[in-house]
Structures are given as C-alpha cells and as structure tokens.
C-alpha cells in the first residue's frame, strides 16, 4: 500500500517534470522562432491571412501583426523549414492581391544559413557591396551586372537558383535598414526578364525613385511594366534600350499611362515636364480646403489634379481607376437657382436630363437602378455622353472647395469637391433612349407632344457649378481605385459663400423630424458643400413680432441674413444662430458641417 502511494507520488513527480520540460522546450522554441514578412495581403484581417496559409501549407503563423508602414504583415513560425515552406506560397492569390512572403530574420543567401555567424557575415557582405555601389552625392545606386561581381560570386550568392532568387530581396532589405536615400538606380546587364521580381522588390523599399536604367536586359512584354503600375509614382526617366520591348513603339506609348510623372524614355522627351508639374500639384492656400491630415492633403490634391486633367483631355485614361464593382452616377439639379437673370429654358439641361439620377424626381426603383453605371465599360459610356469640359483647378484653386476625410471601413478616403467648369464642346456620344426614359413623368410625349429622342435635343453649353464626391480605396496592387463617383451639376455660382472663413467649433445638433433619414449614401444623389446665394428681395423680409421682440438689432440682422443664405425655416435658423454664439462666420461653417443631419422639411 505504501509503495502504491509512493509510486503514485513518483508518478505525479514524473508528470510534473515532463510538464516542466515541455514548458522549457516551448520557451526555447519561441525564443528561436523565425520571423516572416507577408506582403500583398491588401489589409485583410491578419487572422484571415493566417487561416488561409494554414489551409494551404498546414503551417501556423503566430503573432501576425502589421508593421509601422501598414504594408507588411510580420509573423513567426517555429523552424527554418516551416519558413522556407511558407516562402513557397509567394505568388498565391489572396483577397484580390498576390502574396509575397520572405524570411525576415535570415536573409537566406548564405551557403550555410543555419550558422548564425554566417548570417552576420552575409549581412556585412551585402552592406559592403551596397556602400561600394552607392554614390550619396547624386543618390545613385549602381547595380549594374551584379551577378558578375567577384566578391558576391566567390561567397556563393549566385551558386544556385535558390540563392540567386533570394539575393535581390535580401539586398533591398539591407538597403532599407541602412536608410539609403536613393533617387536613381542602374539595373543594366542583369538578365532581367518578364518574370523577374526585382523591380517589384525595388518598389517596396524605394517607391519614390525618380530614375531607373534597365538597358541590356531581356524584357519582352509590356505586361512586365503593367504589373508595376502605380508603384513608381515619382518616376521621371526610364531607360529600356537594349531590351526586345524597346523595338515596340506601341508598348512605349503605354508606358506613359503607367507612370504619371514619366517625361523621358531612352533619352527622348515624351511629356512637357513644366505642364506636368502644374497638372499634378497646385497650391493649398485658401481656407476653403480641409484635409483630415497632411498625408491625405498630398494624396488628395495629386489625385484631383491628375483626375481632372484627364477628365478634360481624355476620359479613357481614367478607366484604370475604376474596377468592375465601381459605381458612377450623376444628377442635374435645376432647382438651385443662383442667378435669376440666367437662361432658364429647358435646353439648359438637355445634355444631362436623359440619365440624371435625381432621387427627388425619380421614384421608380428600376429607373433609379438603371441610372447607376457599374464597371469601366458602363462608366466610360456615361463619361462619353457628358459635355466636354475645362476645369481651372490647377490655375485657380481658390475657386474650389475641397474636403477630404479618411474612410476607415474601406481603408480609403472620401473626397468632396465643389467648384465650377466650362463646357467647351458637346459630348462624343449621346445617351440611348430607353423605355423608362420615354415613360418618365415630365419627359417624352407628355412634355414635347411626341417621343423625341433626347440625343436629338442638344443642350446649351455654358459655365456650370458642380459637387463631386469620390470614395477612393486601395486596389489589389496597392494602386487607387474609385469605388464610388457621384456628380451633381448645378447652375454656376461664385466662390464668395465659402471665402468668409472657417470655424473650429463643432457642427450644430439639429433635431431630425424624420425617423429614417440615412447617412449620406454613395450614388444616392449629391452633397452640397456651401451656403447658397441670397434670395432676391430678401432685404424686405420681416420676422414674426414674438421673435423680433426678443432679438437685438444685430441678432435680428443675422437671423434674416442666415435665413436668406441657408433657406432654413425660422426655428432652425434661430437654433443655428444660438449654437453659433450669434457669429455669422461660425454659423456658415456649422451649417456646412451639419448638412447631412438636416432633414428635408427643415428647409423653406
């Protein structure tokens, strides 16, 4: 009996020791885990990426978290063998993107990479090589014919296909850690072909490179550069002479559309750089610009300047921005009249009414849905049916009001722009007449006496006001995608309403009489961003005696002025003025900020 109990104690002790040993083994394994970096995951939930890889290769990635840039998902696996297996998943499609996985701890280019001393020596070797090829005075990295460098060859960095494939990613990793400032890179004579990922790796470490030389390689197809679209947005000069692709003049022209700042190809000027700089950047001086942060300011202004340049010159060039799920709709708002002496004939809006999606006038669900263009093909057709235009965004930015805020649910941004444009010519195409258009109230037979096709009734060309709202999100390759594009065309008004100044106070809180007023919905109309012009004859407006009796002369004047400019009912005007501390500029800004909260029946 005693032995049985003693044996039992011994059994428990043995179990405890085994537990302790297992814990120590786990701690040792965790201390020696291999870090891996995953790119191309398109900001999907990290656990989704981990689950996807686990299903594919039965390897669990632990502690997966995005790095400081948000582009790289960093995780850990238990062994180098698992890390190498995981690297083989590079090229797999996930969440619309292509995964690129590499080992972070071990550069993977040494012959005996399991030896820690060898790993250190490899890193030092690459550092020395980089310093010998880097000219800081001109920020130039000369990587010409690297596979013929005797030091690299003698250390086995090109001894087989496996180490050769890992060399350039490892080199870029070291260059990034050394924080080299690189504006130009020479990659000539490296046998780069259509399947090489060298430029993709280069874009991850140095996305703002201005000059790339690729002579005497083996690039044959334009698809090689198509994969790099929107990855080198600052690229100014490209040299591809000595590649089979250089003989294809049609392909050369396509390069211009891939890189927005490209001005030189093989020493030949392909764009006017002075005009390009004017298009792609404009000063932000006025108080009518609001950006949530500095990064959004730079991104949004470059986006808008480039977008409206192509909108005015060649709308076909905008199609890469639209995915098969992208949506575009527009409406003409003829109810907003800012100049009562202007032409008010029906011809004023004939260029827009055939496909206008004004939800206050169109209640039929089928018609509403038919007037949303989805995908590049339908969107281009809609673009081609609108009059040709000219915006002055780059030459006169003060004539535009812009607001840009982040769109966290899609990791993107929402850009709202208000301004004006000149109609310079009729559209290239005309909207086809549909049965729903013929039968719509106010259009077709009831109005004109016969079923005239809209395309035969061209409208008047003139200066217009507009609001436009873009929802811009990152695409599968990291480039911009316009998820939603919503345009409202109105009668022109000047810029004075939003030039009075901005307030830092919060928006007012107005009561909502409707219980189901939704937040602004993409493709459901337009968003106005400024106070309208005053109504004529407003100086003679009188307030009710009970209201007038409790206001001093300045408050009375302010109430009348705000009501003129906002067209709000008196009870809402009083609330707006009170919550704005009876300050005109604050009331104007609070009105703008609260537009989405104000119910329709709050207006006169």
């Amino acid at each position: 009996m005693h032995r049985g109990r003693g044996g039992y104690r011994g059994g428990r002790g043995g179990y405890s020791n085994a537990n302790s040993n297992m814990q120590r083994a786990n701690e040792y394994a965790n201390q020696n885990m291999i870090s891996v970096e995953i790119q191309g995951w398109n900001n999907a939930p990290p656990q989704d990426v981990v689950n996807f890889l686990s299903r594919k290769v039965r390897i669990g990635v632990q502690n997966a978290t995005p790095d400081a840039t948000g582009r790289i998902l960093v995780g850990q696996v238990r062994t180098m063998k698992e890390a190498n297996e995981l690297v083989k998943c590079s090229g797999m499609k996930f969440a619309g993107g292509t995964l690129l996985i590499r080992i972070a701890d071990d550069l993977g280019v040494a012959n005996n990479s399991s030896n820690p001393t060898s790993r250190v020596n490899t890193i030092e070797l690459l550092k020395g090589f980089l310093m010998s090829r880097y000219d800081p005075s001109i920020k130039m990295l000369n990587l010409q014919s690297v596979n013929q460098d005797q030091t690299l060859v003698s250390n086995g960095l090109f001894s087989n296909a496996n180490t050769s494939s890992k060399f350039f990613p490892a080199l870029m990793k070291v260059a990034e850690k050394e924080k080299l400032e690189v504006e130009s890179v020479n990659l000539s004579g490296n046998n780069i072909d259509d399947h090489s990922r060298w430029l993709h790796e280069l874009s991850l470490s140095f996305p703002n490179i201005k000059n790339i030389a690729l002579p005497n390689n083996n690039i044959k197809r334009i698809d090689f550069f198509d994969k790099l679209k929107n990855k080198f947005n600052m690229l100014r000069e490209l040299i591809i002479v000595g590649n089979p692709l250089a003989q294809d003049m049609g392909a050369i022209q396509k390069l211009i559309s891939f890189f927005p700042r490209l001005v030189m190809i093989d020493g030949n000027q392909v764009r006017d750089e002075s005009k390009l700089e004017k298009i792609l950047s404009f000063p932000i001086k006025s108080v009518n610009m609001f950006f949530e942060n500095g990064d959004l300011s730079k991104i949004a202004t470059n986006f808008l300047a480039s977008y409206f340049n192509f909108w005015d010159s060649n709308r076909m060039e905008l199609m890469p921005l639209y995915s098969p799920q992208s949506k575009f709709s527009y409406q003409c708002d003829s109810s907003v009249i800012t100049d009562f002496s202007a032409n008010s004939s029906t011809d004023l809006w004939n260029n827009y009414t055939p496909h206008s999606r004004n939800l206050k006038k169109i209640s039929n669900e089928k018609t509403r849905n038919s007037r949303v263009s989805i995908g590049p093909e339908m969107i281009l057709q809609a673009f081609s049916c609108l009059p040709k235009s000219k915006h002055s965004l780059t030459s006169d930015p003060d004539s535009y009001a812009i607001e840009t805020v982040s769109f966290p649910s899609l990791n993107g941004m929402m850009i709202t722009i208000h301004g004006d444009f000149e109609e310079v010519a009729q559209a290239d195409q005309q909207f086809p007449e549909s049965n729903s258009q013929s039968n719509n109230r106010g259009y077709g037979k009831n109005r004109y006496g016969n079923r005239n096709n809209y395309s035969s009734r061209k409208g008047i060309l003139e200066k217009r006001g507009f609001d436009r709202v873009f929802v811009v999100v990152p695409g599968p390759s990291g480039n911009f995608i316009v998820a939603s594009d919503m345009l409202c065309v109105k009668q022109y008004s000047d810029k004075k309403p939003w030039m009075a100044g901005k307030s830092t106070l919060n928006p007012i809180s107005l009561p909502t009489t409707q219980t189901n007023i939704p937040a602004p919905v993409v493709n459901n109309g337009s968003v106005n961003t400024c106070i309208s012009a005053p109504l004529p004859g407003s100086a003679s407006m009188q307030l009710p005696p009970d209201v007038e009796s409790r206001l001093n002369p300045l408050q009375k004047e302010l109430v009348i002025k705000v009501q003129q400019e906002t067209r709000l009912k008196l009870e809402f005007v009083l609330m707006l003025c009170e919550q704005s501390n009876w300050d005109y500029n604050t009331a104007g800004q609070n009105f703008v900020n609260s537009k989405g909260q104000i119910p329709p029946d709050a207006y006169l």
Side-chain angles (χ1 to χ4, degrees):
M1 192 73 172
H2 179 73
R3 268 193 305 231
R5 292 183 66 186
Y8 179 68
R9 288 196 189 102
R12 290 185 65 185
Y15 177 77
S16 176
N17 289 338
N19 234 7
S20 178
N21 291 339
M22 182 62 72
Q23 184 177 357
R24 284 196 296 269
N26 287 335
E27 289 175 356
Y28 177 80
N30 290 335
Q31 290 172 0
N32 291 274
M33 292 182 78
I34 307 299
S35 293
V36 293
E37 295 180 348
I38 305 170
Q39 300 168 13
W41 52 293
N42 281 348
N43 293 319
Q47 191 59 44
D48 289 358
V49 186
V50 172
N51 294 341
F52 173 80
L53 293 171
S54 178
R55 291 195 302 269
K56 292 296 182 182
V57 291
R58 300 293 190 272
I59 294 175
V61 180
Q62 301 182 31
N63 308 318
T65 54
D67 71 349
T69 68
R71 295 184 294 111
I72 300 174
L73 192 65
V74 181
Q76 295 174 314
V77 294
R78 290 186 175 276
T79 65
M80 182 59 68
K81 181 180 179 181
E82 286 188 347
N84 287 327
E85 285 298 317
L86 206 60
V87 168
K88 295 178 182 178
C89 294
S90 291
M92 287 185 177
K93 297 294 183 181
F94 174 79
T98 302
L99 294 179
L100 173 64
I101 304 174
R102 60 187 182 187
I103 301 170
D105 289 341
D106 183 1
L107 296 176
V109 293
N111 286 336
N112 53 342
S113 58
S114 61
N115 185 333
T117 304
S118 178
R119 290 201 295 271
V120 173
N121 290 341
T122 302
I123 295 173
E124 293 303 320
L125 174 66
L126 293 178
K127 282 184 183 179
F129 172 76
L130 279 171
M131 293 303 104
S132 68
R133 296 293 191 102
Y134 177 61
D135 187 342
S137 63
I138 57 175
K139 300 180 181 179
M140 167 77 173
L141 187 58
N142 183 4
L143 300 180
Q144 179 179 1
S145 304
V146 294
N147 59 353
Q148 297 177 22
D149 183 275
Q150 290 304 310
T151 303
L152 298 180
V153 172
S154 62
N155 280 272
L157 271 66
F158 302 104
S159 58
N160 55 57
N162 187 40
T163 55
S164 296
S165 65
K166 295 177 180 178
F167 164 75
F168 197 78
L171 186 69
M172 290 297 98
K173 190 71 177 176
V174 173
E176 194 172 351
K177 287 183 177 180
E178 291 298 303
K179 298 181 180 180
L180 300 184
E181 293 186 39
V182 179
E183 291 186 355
S184 305
V185 63
N186 179 8
L187 293 171
S188 62
N190 283 297
N191 199 31
I192 295 174
D193 59 19
D194 295 335
H195 304 290
S196 172
R197 295 184 61 84
W198 280 28
L199 263 70
H200 178 79
E201 294 287 344
L202 182 68
S203 71
L204 296 175
S205 297
F206 301 106
N208 296 321
I209 277 184
K210 296 181 179 179
N211 310 293
I212 299 177
L214 291 166
N216 304 321
N217 282 294
N218 194 31
I219 303 169
K220 299 177 181 179
R221 302 177 60 188
I222 192 63
D223 292 351
F224 176 82
F225 291 102
D226 187 30
K227 297 173 185 176
L228 299 168
K229 189 163 48 179
N230 296 309
K231 290 192 180 297
F232 292 106
N233 290 326
M234 303 303 294
L235 186 64
R236 179 184 179 276
E237 182 171 3
L238 180 65
I239 300 176
I240 59 171
V241 64
N243 289 271
L245 181 67
Q247 307 302 318
D248 184 350
M249 296 308 298
I252 299 300
Q253 289 301 313
K254 290 183 180 179
L255 288 173
I256 302 174
S257 64
F258 295 161
F259 305 110
R261 293 181 181 269
L262 187 63
V263 295
M264 301 289 292
I265 300 179
D266 289 339
N268 300 314
Q269 186 171 341
V270 294
R271 282 191 179 116
D272 187 324
E273 189 167 17
S274 61
K275 291 182 179 179
L276 189 67
E277 286 299 320
K278 188 176 182 181
I279 290 170
L280 294 177
S281 61
F282 61 92
I284 305 298
K285 298 177 181 178
S286 304
V287 293
N288 51 303
M289 306 285 182
F290 170 80
F291 302 96
E292 189 174 300
N293 55 56
D295 290 338
L296 285 184
S297 171
K298 183 177 179 180
I299 294 171
T301 52
N302 282 344
F303 171 84
L304 290 174
S306 181
Y307 187 96
F308 283 109
N309 170 59
F310 288 125
W311 177 267
D312 292 342
S313 60
N314 185 359
R315 294 173 188 175
M316 172 73 79
E317 296 288 345
L318 294 171
M319 288 307 100
L321 292 173
Y322 294 88
S323 73
Q325 292 77 39
S326 297
K327 295 181 180 181
F328 167 75
S329 66
Y330 79 87
Q331 69 146 313
C332 58
D333 188 356
S334 57
S335 65
V336 179
I337 302 176
T338 57
D339 183 358
F340 285 80
S341 64
N343 191 330
S344 60
S345 70
T346 57
D347 290 343
L348 184 66
W349 302 105
N350 275 353
N351 284 328
Y352 298 95
T353 49
H355 215 63
S356 174
R357 193 172 183 266
N358 190 328
L359 302 190
K360 288 186 177 180
K361 296 184 178 181
I362 301 174
S363 58
N364 182 277
E365 184 176 356
K366 182 178 180 180
T367 305
R368 286 183 172 187
N369 292 337
S370 70
R371 296 190 178 186
V372 178
S373 300
I374 304 176
E377 185 176 351
M378 290 181 65
I379 291 173
L380 179 60
Q381 182 182 17
F383 285 0
S384 302
C385 295
L386 295 174
K388 296 180 180 180
S389 62
K390 179 176 176 57
H391 295 74
S392 58
L393 184 60
T394 56
S395 59
D396 186 18
D398 287 346
S399 292
Y400 295 81
I402 300 172
E403 178 180 286
T404 304
V405 295
S406 60
F407 204 93
S409 60
L410 296 176
N411 195 34
M413 59 182 172
M414 179 181 288
I415 306 173
T416 302
I417 178 170
H418 173 87
D420 57 71
F421 64 87
E422 294 279 357
E423 294 176 332
V424 296
Q426 295 290 350
D428 290 330
Q429 300 179 23
Q430 296 164 337
F431 282 107
E433 184 179 23
S434 66
N435 291 334
S436 61
Q437 288 171 345
S438 300
N439 296 327
N440 273 340
R441 180 171 59 84
Y443 302 142
K445 185 175 180 180
N446 290 338
R447 184 168 184 173
Y448 296 113
N450 55 54
R451 297 198 181 281
N452 286 331
N453 191 321
Y454 274 110
S455 62
S456 64
R457 304 183 64 85
K458 294 182 179 179
I460 296 171
L461 299 177
E462 63 169 35
K463 193 169 187 175
R464 307 276 185 181
F466 77 96
D467 299 314
R468 196 157 185 173
V469 181
F470 299 96
V471 176
V472 183
V473 299
S477 303
N479 54 311
F480 286 135
I481 291 293
V482 177
S484 174
D485 179 357
M486 186 171 60
L487 170 66
C488 175
V489 182
K490 304 182 293 188
Q491 192 179 111
Y492 169 73
S493 63
D494 62 33
K495 63 185 179 182
K496 292 179 181 179
W498 70 81
M499 293 303 293
K502 297 283 185 179
S503 167
T504 58
L505 297 183
N506 294 325
I508 60 172
S509 301
L510 295 177
T512 302
T513 56
Q514 285 185 220
T515 60
N516 60 342
I517 297 177
V521 177
V522 172
N523 283 308
N524 254 11
S526 70
V527 177
N528 294 324
T529 57
C530 69
I531 297 177
S532 305
L535 293 167
S538 57
S540 59
M541 291 181 63
Q542 296 294 322
L543 297 177
D546 60 323
V547 174
E548 188 171 3
S549 63
R550 56 189 173 90
L551 299 178
N552 63 42
L554 291 178
Q555 291 175 335
K556 175 183 174 183
E557 182 181 353
L558 177 63
V559 168
I560 292 174
K561 190 172 184 180
V562 170
Q563 187 171 44
Q564 294 168 4
E565 297 183 351
T566 64
R567 298 187 178 88
L568 287 171
K569 292 179 179 178
L570 181 58
E571 60 186 288
F572 291 94
V573 173
L574 291 171
M575 191 180 303
L576 174 61
C577 292
E578 289 171 358
Q579 295 187 21
S580 302
N581 295 320
W582 299 96
D583 179 78
Y584 173 74
N585 292 337
T586 303
Q589 185 58 38
N590 284 343
F591 173 73
V592 172
N593 294 340
S594 303
K595 289 284 281 187
Q597 307 171 27
I598 303 176
D601 58 3
Y603 294 92
L604 295 172

